Amino acid sequence: NTNFPELIWYNGKIIPWQEATVHIVCHAIHYGSSVFEGVRCYDTPKGPAIFRLQEHTRRLFDSAKIYRFEIPFTAEEINQGCKDIVKDNNLKSAYLRPFAFMGAHNLGLNPPKVPLETSIIALNWGSYLGEESLEQGVDAAITSWNRLAPNTMPTGAKAGGNYLSSILITTEAKRHGYVEGIGLDSNGCISEGAGENIFVIRDGVINTPPLTSGILPGITRSTIMTLAKEMGYTVNEQAMPREALYLADEVFMCGTAAEVVPVRSVDQIKVGDGTRGPITEAIQKAYFGLFNGTTEDKWGWLSYIND
Ligand code: PMP
């Protein structure tokens, strides 16, 4: 599979792709008892650099903590593993998937207090919603599946099982001819895309749903909030009704895999004039500028793999 480089980091060792297998009794396969991250390494003018590595690793440990899972490595070891797997595969850019899962012990719902199996996979993965989407935008629709309610499963954990919700949302959207689906929260307010957070702009003000709207606290979301404030925009975290999408001047979605993608229509209602809006474009420029050197990394967000 050309999408997957040769080597994988597995429980602290770098091994060939073919050898990184699990047993069929693996708890995570049955119940989704895993936590993971999606991280990007960009080929910057100063060499390959992993974007916001510390924050991603912190969220991995946060996700494990919520489920009382133990990752038998330190954050520093995971960070180093991420750098090593890029370097040893001779990659310049990559999508990284740090991943910790309940292995093959038993199939009970009170799994033994054993450490998780831990792995880091590197993939070649272009912009998730398509390269052309970055400029042209995507057609999205509200799906019939709500996002997880706060008292059902914690959306603040990036856990394997949560992604059955994302699969329902994505496949329904695709079945109906849309590029991406947008879920509402359990109160009917806007939550997020199947794998992206969402921003809604009207009259120059940028709004995004709060953590209580069933979202994953996205690291791209946090990056964009910081960049947009730096650019002088007002950014609010606030619950929004569905029609805020219909009445917006601009809407965009963002995530590590998807990057920053304009939404040109929602439920076949044009957003603004149906093309990428100026604020979205300015935010994309600032975001991608972090990787092509035109936006100064004032925050120390880039971890160079050769450092
Ligand atoms: N929401 C969901 C459900 C996601 O899977 C992702 C991708 N990890 C995001 C939002 C965006 O998060 P991030 O910017 O940290 O990639």
Side-chain angles (χ1 to χ4, degrees):
N1 186 331
T2 53
N3 200 30
F4 292 100
E6 271 170 59
L7 302 171
I8 286 183
W9 187 100
Y10 198 11
N11 289 330
K13 296 195 186 69
I14 298 214
I15 62 170
W17 185 85
Q18 293 82 348
E19 289 174 21
T21 56
V22 295
H23 194 273
I24 197 131
V25 171
C26 175
H27 198 268
I29 295 177
H30 296 264
Y31 304 122
S33 45
S34 66
V35 293
F36 67 97
E37 274 304 314
V39 189
R40 271 193 193 275
C41 177
Y42 285 94
D43 186 16
T44 79
K46 289 196 235 159
I50 302 179
F51 186 55
R52 303 202 71 175
L53 177 59
Q54 287 80 5
E55 292 86 344
H56 280 285
T57 300
R58 182 179 186 203
R59 190 172 64 185
L60 180 72
F61 280 85
D62 284 351
S63 299
K65 185 173 188 183
I66 292 169
Y67 282 101
R68 300 158 202 262
F69 288 157
E70 183 202 337
I71 297 176
F73 294 93
T74 63
E76 292 68 34
E77 287 169 324
I78 300 293
N79 291 343
Q80 191 57 48
C82 288
K83 291 181 179 181
D84 290 347
I85 203 62
V86 173
K87 236 190 283 191
D88 290 9
N89 277 307
N90 289 318
L91 297 169
K92 290 195 163 59
S93 60
Y95 175 86
L96 301 176
R97 170 55 57 85
F99 178 57
F101 60 98
M102 185 57 64
H105 304 286
N106 66 35
L107 291 181
L109 296 179
N110 185 20
K113 293 272 166 245
V114 291
L116 300 182
E117 310 289 326
T118 311
S119 179
I120 308 170
I121 309 166
L123 298 85
N124 297 308
W125 213 2
S127 205
Y128 178 63
L129 297 177
E131 295 298 333
E132 69 293 342
S133 71
L134 299 175
E135 206 177 310
Q136 290 167 15
V138 296
D139 298 309
I142 305 285
T143 66
S144 65
W145 294 102
N146 281 2
R147 291 281 307 163
L148 301 162
N151 57 353
T152 60
M153 305 243 298
T155 59
K158 194 167 171 64
N162 288 13
Y163 282 79
L164 288 170
S165 157
S166 296
I167 288 172
L168 289 169
I169 291 174
T170 302
T171 53
E172 186 181 79
K174 300 266 187 217
R175 233 176 14 252
H176 295 162
Y178 299 98
V179 172
E180 187 55 299
I182 299 166
L184 301 179
D185 69 17
S186 52
N187 293 317
C189 291
I190 302 164
S191 178
E192 62 178 350
E196 307 84 18
N197 291 115
I198 196 160
F199 283 81
V200 179
I201 304 168
R202 184 166 159 118
D203 294 337
V205 175
I206 304 176
N207 295 310
T208 194
L211 299 190
T212 45
S213 283
I215 67 165
L216 179 77
I219 289 164
T220 318
R221 172 182 180 273
S222 127
T223 300
I224 284 168
M225 290 171 68
T226 302
L227 291 174
K229 284 179 197 163
E230 176 90 1
M231 291 157 78
Y233 293 109
T234 302
V235 184
N236 302 313
E237 289 178 86
Q238 61 173 44
M240 284 174 278
R242 174 175 183 155
E243 62 271 26
L245 291 167
Y246 303 153
L247 302 179
D249 298 325
E250 301 180 37
V251 173
F252 66 85
M253 302 210 266
C254 70
T256 299
E259 302 176 304
V260 182
V261 181
V263 176
R264 64 183 178 192
S265 73
V266 178
D267 297 342
Q268 298 178 23
I269 297 178
K270 265 191 202 171
V271 174
D273 66 1
T275 66
R276 173 172 68 182
I279 297 177
T280 303
E281 192 174 351
I283 287 173
Q284 281 182 319
K285 193 157 174 268
Y287 185 74
F288 290 110
L290 289 162
F291 318 125
N292 66 26
T294 59
T295 301
E296 187 198 343
D297 177 20
K298 290 184 193 168
W299 304 271
W301 284 337
L302 294 168
S303 297
Y304 294 92
I305 66 160
N306 295 318
D307 282 356

